[in-house]
Amino acid sequence: MRPREIRVVERLQPAPDCVELVCEFPEDEGPQSGQFYMLSVGDGRDTYLPRPFSFYRVFSPRRLSFLFRVVGPGTRFLAGLRPRDRLQAMGPLGRGFPLPDGPERAVLVAGGVGVPPLWSLARSLLGLGCEVTALLGARTRSAVLGRPELEALGIQVLTATDDGSMGHRGPVTELLGGIEADGLYACGPEGMLRAVRDIAAARPLPRTYLALEAAMACGYGICLGCAVERAQPDPALGAYGTYARVCREGPVFRWDEVRI
Amino acid sequence: MTVDTQISIGNLRCKNPVWVAAGTFLYGREYGRRLPLEELGAICTKGTSLEPWDGVQGIRIAETPAGMLNAIGLQNWGIDAYLERNVAWLREQNATIVVNIVGKTVDEYAAVAAKLSPRDADAIEVNISCPNVSEGGVFFGTDLRMTEKVVDAVRKATSLPVIVKLAPNTHGLAEFAKAAEAYGADALSVANCIPGMAIDIRRRKAVMGTPAGSGGLSGPAVKPIILKMVWDVTAAVRIPVIGVGGVVSWQDAVEYLMAGASAVQVGSALFRNPNAPWDVAQGLEQFMRDEGVSSIGELIGAARP
């Protein structure tokens, strides 16, 4: 486990404040959907810690992309990278989405910049013969991410915006009301994940999986910084496994595994 | 040119002066493979208490300029879990093991120390300086009388070398260093994270999840501060001092050694590079070759007048 140097080959700007960096890896990569990489930002001095990012699109075994919104010094650095620039990446890390044993009706729910882990998942589910629908939510039309990229896979995409400027007006989870699903896969803000969890509990829909986000320092399990409370203490740890690590036991959890 | 990097801390002999700091490595099992721990001076385990501790609920990590705040709160699985699950593994990796111990009372520190035989640990590091717990931790390390009591109790509970990890946020650090020495410490780790905080200006509240809203600052930002503490403490005591604070590169390690430290601990640098301590150890050895330094002793205190 060592950070490896990767190279930016293309820089796309799918929304005014969002950037997709297509990167070339030194070896063939085969990450699971939902797994992530720790990306270095700058020289690691002023911006001391690497940042966790799910990979987004897969163009070839060595070519993956990362999609992010510019929110702070780390993402500002990444947004400033241009083709041929190099950065360090460590991964793939964590536990991704479990795939169904066979064809199912799969619904993907993304809020804000939550779409990255769902793009490759959609592709894998299609490969298994699943019927895949993606629901994308955002504040406003220009912030809806991933729609053309998901539509290019040939799946149905529905959108919801807070201001009604694209698709349904209201939370993206309201779109779930009219949709039959065997599996539900979600990534987005905490409020959205809670709403998905509540729907999973109410239907019930046991095959519901949530990709969590957390501040973390290491990404490989040693800092204990990304703790999330387990719904049930880990039996292997007796009464004391109160917390799971988002980076290690996650970032994907079944809806009833954690308290969010 | 062969260089001699071996150091001694009390009866503890280490292959080189590059250690891993407590809480930044757990027990190394997350690497998922054999680790060449024999190439490092020692590894300090995660802070270990008598009973398991849950740690802090809420935000535990925040990046700050040239560093980071942590508020883990010493989440650990307790000394019995250490003995059952991790000793054998660490021995298989040929690690020199320093078990970092924590407690809420003096008796708890002593009880953890008493459970460690020479099979389980090569030395004990007494953490009286964690800034993120509401009992024990830094409340012992910032009170001179309590520092004496804890060190005395641990000293009487074990025959292993005792290293006391001092708190950076005291007035008169030298007095604490001398007190630890007087009560039988074999060495001092200088220091722990520096209490600090960050505010989320949108939510108008402290970022970190501790009740006090604070965390411990580590990383390059603290290095000049801790380096001076090492310089000062080295002048105040005769026992070896271990520099802990913002060691990211081998150059940082050389600075600490030249300030008077007998060893350094690589801490949060591990979060950004799992190979950091090995890289530091290799860089240090290369520096010795480049400079024609045959023994590490020549570097220790080399910058002192």
Side-chain angles (χ1 to χ4, degrees):
Chain A
M1 190 170 41
R2 182 179 267 277
R4 294 168 296 159
E5 194 168 82
I6 62 173
R7 193 167 50 90
V8 177
V9 291
E10 197 177 357
R11 180 188 185 278
L12 304 165
Q13 192 146 8
D17 57 350
C18 292
V19 171
E20 180 182 3
L21 290 179
V22 184
C23 298
E24 179 86 8
F25 281 69
E27 298 131 304
D28 287 359
E29 296 292 303
Q32 266 183 303
S33 305
Q35 285 191 299
F36 65 100
Y37 290 82
M38 295 298 283
L39 300 185
S40 63
V41 291
D43 65 1
R45 287 269 181 182
D46 283 349
T47 41
Y48 187 46
L49 299 173
R51 308 291 199 264
F53 289 99
S54 295
F55 67 98
Y56 179 32
R57 290 194 283 171
V58 180
F59 296 88
S60 74
R62 295 191 179 196
R63 206 164 269 203
L64 313 179
S65 78
F66 298 95
L67 172 69
F68 52 89
R69 170 165 290 136
V70 180
V71 292
T75 44
R76 203 150 45 236
F77 169 86
L78 291 174
L81 293 176
R82 293 292 181 276
R84 303 177 70 139
D85 284 343
R86 287 159 197 277
L87 67 157
Q88 304 282 316
M90 189 168 74
L93 298 164
R95 196 177 66 152
F97 288 104
L99 294 172
D101 296 330
E104 66 169 13
R105 289 166 301 179
V107 178
L108 319 182
V109 189
V113 279
V115 71
L118 302 178
W119 184 89
S120 63
L121 178 66
R123 222 172 54 160
S124 302
L125 291 167
L126 287 171
L128 289 170
C130 296
E131 183 191 308
V132 186
T133 304
L135 313 178
L136 305 178
R139 278 175 295 109
T140 186
R141 182 186 192 89
S142 64
V144 175
L145 291 167
R147 187 181 184 193
E149 292 82 359
L150 285 164
E151 281 176 346
L153 296 175
I155 66 171
Q156 189 190 14
V157 180
L158 302 175
T159 57
T161 49
D162 295 345
D163 63 4
S165 56
M166 183 189 264
H168 173 75
R169 178 200 286 266
V172 65
T173 44
E174 286 178 2
L175 291 171
L176 277 168
I179 295 177
E180 294 292 316
D182 306 306
L184 201 51
Y185 307 85
C187 183
E190 218 168 76
M192 185 203 92
L193 293 179
R194 283 197 203 102
V196 171
R197 174 203 60 195
D198 292 344
I199 289 164
R203 278 200 182 183
L205 192 48
R207 285 194 40 77
T208 295
Y209 296 93
L210 314 174
L212 305 192
E213 192 175 38
M216 57 181 74
C218 71
Y220 62 101
I222 58 168
C223 78
L224 306 183
C226 58
V228 59
E229 201 176 338
R230 296 176 194 267
Q232 304 292 331
D234 179 351
L237 296 171
Y240 308 110
T242 305
Y243 293 103
R245 296 164 293 187
V246 170
C247 74
R248 191 86 180 180
E249 284 78 45
V252 173
F253 293 94
R254 207 178 57 215
W255 68 278
D256 57 351
E257 284 179 317
V258 289
R259 289 182 209 276
I260 52 170
Chain B
M1 177 184 171
T2 56
V3 295
D4 177 11
T5 56
Q6 198 173 249
I7 59 144
S8 297
I9 301 283
N11 297 328
L12 178 69
R13 297 219 184 293
C14 300
K15 185 183 176 182
N16 64 43
V18 181
W19 296 19
V20 169
T24 61
F25 188 70
L26 297 186
Y27 309 96
R29 305 189 73 148
E30 276 60 23
Y31 285 65
R33 60 176 165 87
R34 205 202 161 269
L35 288 178
L37 293 181
E38 69 275 0
E39 291 171 19
L40 300 177
I43 78 116
C44 298
T45 67
K46 176 75 183 166
T48 303
S49 48
L50 193 56
E51 299 289 331
W53 289 2
D54 268 345
V56 166
Q57 184 173 30
I59 301 285
R60 293 178 168 194
I61 293 284
E63 189 185 70
T64 54
M68 58 175 281
L69 291 166
N70 82 80
I72 310 300
L74 290 170
Q75 178 184 333
N76 81 93
W77 299 272
I79 186 66
D80 292 337
Y82 166 74
L83 295 172
E84 280 161 32
R85 293 194 216 128
N86 293 310
V87 174
W89 148 265
L90 285 169
R91 288 297 183 208
E92 273 166 36
Q93 320 299 309
N94 293 325
T96 298
I97 310 171
V98 178
V99 176
N100 182 286
I101 66 169
V102 297
K104 289 176 177 155
T105 63
V106 173
D107 290 345
E108 279 185 23
Y109 279 96
V112 180
K115 286 200 170 210
L116 292 163
S117 76
R119 221 178 37 248
D120 313 318
D122 299 301
I124 290 173
E125 184 178 56
V126 188
N127 178 356
I128 52 168
S129 42
C130 175
N132 298 322
V133 289
S134 54
E135 293 173 89
V138 78
F139 293 91
F140 290 116
T142 52
D143 179 318
L144 198 56
R145 186 72 202 110
M146 291 309 294
T147 297
E148 291 170 353
K149 278 189 179 166
V150 173
V151 177
D152 189 40
V154 172
R155 174 72 288 164
K156 285 173 177 155
T158 184
S159 56
L160 291 165
V162 172
I163 302 162
V164 177
K165 189 165 182 178
L166 297 175
N169 49 315
T170 60
H171 292 292
L173 183 60
E175 296 311 307
F176 286 83
K178 285 181 195 163
E181 182 181 37
Y183 280 84
D186 295 289
L188 303 171
S189 293
V190 177
N192 209 315
C193 296
I194 300 176
M197 73 187 302
I199 306 271
D200 183 331
I201 58 171
R202 298 282 173 200
R203 293 181 179 166
R204 302 186 180 204
K205 61 193 275 278
V207 171
M208 309 310 287
T210 52
S214 63
L217 181 66
S218 65
V222 309
K223 196 196 77 183
I225 301 169
I226 305 293
L227 187 63
K228 183 178 185 305
M229 290 180 185
V230 166
W231 179 279
D232 293 345
V233 170
T234 306
V237 296
R238 297 172 143 205
I239 51 177
V241 172
I242 302 161
V244 198
V247 177
V248 170
S249 66
W250 61 265
Q251 291 95 331
D252 299 322
V254 173
E255 281 195 69
Y256 271 110
L257 295 173
M258 288 186 170
S262 298
V264 297
Q265 294 179 9
V266 178
S268 56
L270 269 152
F271 299 153
R272 38 189 295 265
N273 175 9
N275 296 284
W278 288 274
D279 292 350
V280 170
Q282 280 165 19
L284 173 62
E285 207 172 308
Q286 186 59 46
F287 174 75
M288 290 173 68
R289 277 192 224 103
D290 292 348
E291 297 276 315
V293 174
S294 59
S295 161
I296 198 80
E298 294 171 47
L299 292 181
I300 296 171
R304 304 185 70 88

